[in-house]
Amino acid sequence: MKIKKDDQVLIISGKDRGKKGKVLQVFPKESRILVEGVNLRKKHQKPRKAGEKGQIILLPAPTSISNLKLICPKCEKATRVGYKITEEKKSRICKKCGQEI
Ligand SMILES: [Zn+2]
């Protein structure tokens, strides 16, 4: 996966286009990503105690990775991710500024 937990991402399609958020969770098998504040779904919460009202809460649902672009923490631009492979490790690089991210 090119995007990891705690990355900042930009939504590039769908109803949340233009929003930015932090990656909360990555689901590699489904190629889906859970982003804070994005793709919110309403969920009805039942009252937990007698006398308490049920309420509607908003929870983010995972978004397809193809709807997202990584925001480079170095140049702060939405970018595609490249890889640099050296003998010791494989690291991600920003295609805009070329820095390791
Ligand atoms: Zn960059």
Side-chain angles (χ1 to χ4, degrees):
M1 292 288 271
K2 293 194 167 180
I3 290 175
K4 296 181 193 163
K5 190 168 178 281
D6 294 330
D7 280 345
Q8 290 288 329
V9 292
L10 174 73
I11 315 305
I12 53 168
S13 67
K15 68 178 167 71
D16 288 319
R17 190 160 64 153
K19 272 195 194 173
K20 290 174 186 172
K22 192 175 87 163
V23 174
L24 299 176
Q25 213 179 333
V26 173
F27 303 94
K29 274 186 200 158
E30 294 94 6
S31 295
R32 294 179 89 81
I33 290 186
L34 190 65
V35 184
E36 191 175 49
V38 168
N39 200 20
L40 295 175
R41 297 284 157 88
K42 277 184 190 167
K43 193 173 178 238
H44 294 264
Q45 195 176 53
K46 286 186 185 145
R48 285 184 218 141
K49 286 182 278 185
E52 215 178 51
K53 274 187 190 167
Q55 52 182 341
I56 295 168
I57 52 172
L58 290 169
L59 286 176
T63 303
S64 168
I65 191 168
S66 60
N67 293 336
L68 308 175
K69 255 188 166 179
L70 182 71
I71 297 172
C72 170
K74 302 278 164 60
C75 65
E76 294 179 356
K77 286 180 184 149
T79 183
R80 289 198 298 137
V81 178
Y83 287 106
K84 189 172 86 179
I85 297 158
T86 61
E87 277 174 37
E88 310 91 67
K89 60 174 185 165
K90 182 172 157 186
S91 48
R92 296 189 304 174
I93 55 164
C94 166
K95 290 222 174 171
K96 289 255 163 74
C97 66
Q99 297 209 62
E100 260 185 56
I101 44 179

